[in-house]
């Protein structure tokens, strides 16, 4: 038996992100004897504190509403599952795509998008708050556990994939990593794929969760082609099955259809474009991973439907109001009296304030609040602001 470590790039397409052409880590490290660099990235993410906290962060439904709903953790796992399947079929880098997917939501605040909007409002005068950029801050700076470097010191390609959006102002401060938001260009194919897998997972698990919660009905969904086509197929094939089984078979068929479309369309685009390597992919004006126009339109129609019927449902909106109260309340208390924060965060407030004034003080508070789980934020709010708030 050979003791040689197998080449981590073996079997990958020339246009995949390869370890041999990686732009590397901010702090150079010796290679590991039997793990590739993107595998190490994935492993570091799984062992991070921010990753563990995703289990108690809201995706759409607050964790304590029921044990069956998606949390940010199970969402991230579903995104990774979808993206890995496609990466493997296209000979892209499965280890990298998994690392990106597992890390993509690490910077999310408690209480889903509601929490993020509130924190962004609190930070308006201090540079704002973007959850994508926050995910990068988590892996670059805030995870504090390695002796030799700050953060997780991930590879450039993993960090590139995590930064799905970025404002021009923030992009200017990111150097090489921010360039594509200023000058155009694309990230690598694994990043393009992770981005779409995130959207696919969102749409489909929200249909499933929305039906389970009774906020959506099969009747409502019959106006959405992506759903109704599959529902008709499975309900004629399995006419004796329960509604729960039919729903699951429908969502399963929907994912299968859209993933197959993405795979076929992307494979055809890659065959046509024949990019020479990842740099060639990065220099293109448009992404090469994508849906056919027809399926893309259906995907967007489902997204619009969920916007209207689920994310703006009164039960979800009433969570939004309470989330805003909690996030804003905590931000204000910590900003005016940092001594109420745990010592390591209170110390950061002092150090960053000396360096950057109020903006530094606010950033340290935002980092602390953003890192909280839903239940941690709620208990802090009960202790420091209002013990009577019901959630
Ligand atoms: Mg996501």
């Amino acid at each position: 038996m050979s003791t040689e470590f197998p080449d981590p790039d073996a079997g990958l397409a020339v246009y995949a992100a390869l370890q041999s052409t990686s732009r590397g880590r901010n702090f150079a490290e010796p290679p590991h004897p039997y793990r590739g660099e993107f595998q190490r990235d994935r492993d570091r993410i799984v062992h991070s504190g921010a990753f563990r906290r995703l289990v108690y962060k809201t995706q759409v439904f607050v964790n304590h509403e029921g044990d069956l709903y998606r949390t940010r953790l199970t969402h991230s796992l579903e995104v990774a599952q979808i993206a890995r399947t496609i990466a493997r079929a296209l000979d892209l880098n499965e280890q990298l795509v998994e690392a990106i997917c597992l890390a993509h939501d690490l910077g999310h605040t408690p209480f889903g998008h509601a929490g993020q909007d509130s924190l962004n409002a609190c930070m308006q005068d201090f540079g704002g708050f973007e959850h994508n950029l926050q995910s990068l801050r988590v892996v670059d700076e805030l995870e504090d556990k390695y002796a030799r470097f700050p953060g997780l010191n991930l590879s450039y390609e993993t960090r590139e994939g995590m930064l799905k959006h970025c404002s021009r102002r923030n992009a200017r401060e990111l150097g090489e990593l921010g360039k594509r938001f200023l000058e155009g260009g694309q990230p690598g194919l694994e990043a393009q794929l992770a981005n779409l897998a995130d959207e696919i997972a969102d749409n489909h698990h929200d249909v499933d969760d929305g039906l389970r919660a009774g906020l959506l009905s099969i009747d409502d969904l019959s106006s959405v082609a992506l759903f109704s086509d599959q529902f008709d197929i499975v309900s004629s094939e399995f006419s004796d099955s329960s509604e729960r089984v039919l729903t699951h078979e429908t969502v399963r068929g929907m994912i299968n259809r859209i993933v197959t479309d993405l795979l076929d369309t992307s494979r055809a685009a890659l065959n046509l474009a024949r990019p020479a390597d990842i740099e060639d992919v990065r220099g293109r004006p448009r992404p090469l991973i994508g849906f056919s126009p027809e399926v893309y339109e259906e995907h967007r129609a489902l997204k619009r439907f969920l916007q209207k019927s689920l994310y703006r449902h009164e039960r979800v909106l009433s969570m939004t109001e309470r989330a805003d109260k909690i996030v804003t309340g905590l931000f204000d208390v910590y900003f005016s009296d940092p001594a109420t924060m745990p010592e390591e965060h209170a110390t950061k407030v002092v150090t960053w304030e000396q360096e950057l004034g109020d903006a530094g003080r606010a950033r340290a508070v935002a980092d602390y609040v953003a890192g909280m789980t839903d239940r941690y934020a709620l208990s802090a709010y009960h202790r420091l602001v209002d013990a009577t708030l019901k959630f």
Side-chain angles (χ1 to χ4, degrees):
M1 198 177 89
S2 163
T3 52
E4 266 301 89
F5 169 51
D7 176 7
D9 293 340
L12 298 183
V14 289
Y15 39 70
L18 304 177
Q19 180 171 312
S20 59
T21 56
S22 169
R23 293 185 181 176
R25 305 179 187 279
N26 281 341
F27 299 85
E29 292 183 55
H32 190 273
Y34 49 86
R35 286 186 300 159
E37 297 305 322
F38 298 124
Q39 184 188 341
R40 292 174 89 183
D41 284 3
R42 193 265 326 267
D43 297 350
R44 285 177 189 187
I45 291 156
V46 170
H47 286 271
S48 70
F51 185 72
R52 288 194 292 280
R53 290 198 297 269
L54 294 179
V55 69
Y56 288 114
K57 289 195 178 200
T58 290
Q59 183 66 22
V60 172
F61 297 89
V62 180
N63 184 292
H64 64 242
E65 286 192 64
D67 291 347
L68 280 173
Y69 298 111
R70 270 69 173 187
T71 66
R72 278 225 180 261
L73 181 65
T74 61
H75 160 72
S76 302
L77 295 173
E78 289 185 29
V79 176
Q81 180 274 319
I82 290 169
R84 284 178 58 195
T85 301
I86 302 167
R88 191 180 293 198
L90 292 175
D91 293 332
L92 298 179
N93 198 316
E94 193 180 334
Q95 310 266 9
L96 170 61
V97 96
E98 186 180 14
I100 296 170
C101 294
L102 294 181
H104 83 285
D105 272 350
L106 289 180
H108 255 291
T109 60
F111 309 117
H113 280 279
Q116 174 199 280
D117 292 346
S118 307
L119 197 53
N120 188 28
C122 295
M123 289 295 289
Q124 242 358 274
D125 296 335
F126 312 112
F129 178 88
E130 293 175 31
H131 70 89
N132 253 258
L133 195 63
Q134 190 69 12
S135 296
L136 199 63
R137 271 176 77 69
V138 168
V139 301
D140 281 354
E141 293 176 47
L142 302 179
E143 279 290 320
D144 182 20
K145 53 201 291 196
Y146 291 87
R148 293 189 170 83
F149 43 76
L152 305 180
N153 195 31
L154 301 180
S155 307
Y156 180 91
E157 289 73 16
T158 306
R159 298 168 60 240
E160 173 187 49
M162 292 171 64
L163 200 63
K164 184 165 154 181
H165 314 285
C166 186
S167 65
R168 291 179 68 83
R169 185 183 56 194
N170 286 322
R172 273 192 281 275
E173 286 173 21
L174 288 173
E176 190 62 29
L177 202 64
K179 248 187 179 167
R180 78 173 197 267
F181 301 99
L182 302 168
E183 298 171 8
Q186 306 301 323
L189 297 169
E190 288 78 0
Q192 296 178 24
L193 174 52
N195 181 5
L196 293 179
D198 188 19
E199 293 201 13
I200 294 174
D202 263 340
N203 266 1
H204 294 83
H205 61 47
D206 289 349
V207 166
D208 186 48
D209 279 352
L211 285 167
R212 178 175 297 110
L215 303 191
L216 302 176
S217 70
I218 289 175
D219 240 19
D220 302 332
L221 276 156
S222 64
S223 64
V224 181
L226 208 53
F227 181 90
S228 60
D229 289 355
Q230 291 300 321
F231 187 76
D232 291 348
I233 294 170
V234 301
S235 44
S236 66
E237 192 178 350
F238 309 111
S239 52
D240 295 336
S241 296
S242 66
E243 195 170 291
R244 187 194 297 171
V245 169
L246 290 181
T247 302
H248 179 74
E249 287 288 351
T250 303
V251 172
R252 184 171 162 252
M254 290 164 73
I255 297 178
N256 212 11
R257 170 151 188 267
I258 199 165
V259 165
T260 306
D261 178 83
L262 181 71
L263 200 54
D264 292 344
T265 312
S266 305
R267 190 179 274 138
L270 287 165
N271 282 340
L272 198 67
R274 299 208 168 275
D277 53 24
I278 190 172
E279 288 308 325
D280 188 355
V281 169
R282 285 180 175 132
R284 304 257 163 174
R286 271 179 297 282
L288 289 164
I289 303 292
F291 305 111
S292 66
E294 184 203 351
V295 166
Y296 179 62
E297 198 27 65
E298 288 182 13
H299 168 77
R300 284 180 32 104
L302 174 56
K303 214 170 160 174
R304 283 196 298 271
F305 170 85
L306 289 170
Q307 283 285 355
K308 183 169 62 94
S309 310
L310 183 62
Y311 310 141
R312 282 190 227 124
H313 191 284
E314 56 178 24
R315 243 176 75 195
V316 175
L317 288 182
S318 89
M319 189 273 277
T320 305
E321 277 167 34
R322 282 166 291 169
D324 181 49
K325 215 178 229 177
I326 294 170
V327 168
T328 310
L330 287 177
F331 183 90
D332 290 345
V333 169
Y334 295 136
F335 187 79
S336 56
D337 184 7
T340 50
M341 296 161 81
E343 202 186 324
E344 61 166 317
H345 295 279
T347 312
K348 259 186 203 168
V349 170
V350 176
T351 321
W352 293 2
E353 190 171 20
Q354 279 165 358
E355 250 176 73
L356 304 160
D358 272 357
R361 182 186 180 104
R363 187 60 58 191
V365 171
D367 282 343
Y368 178 47
V369 174
M372 293 179 176
T373 61
D374 297 359
R375 58 182 191 171
Y376 186 96
L378 183 61
S379 94
Y381 186 85
H382 281 157
R383 192 161 31 85
L384 296 167
V385 185
D386 175 5
T388 65
L389 183 84
K390 293 249 186 318
F391 207 93

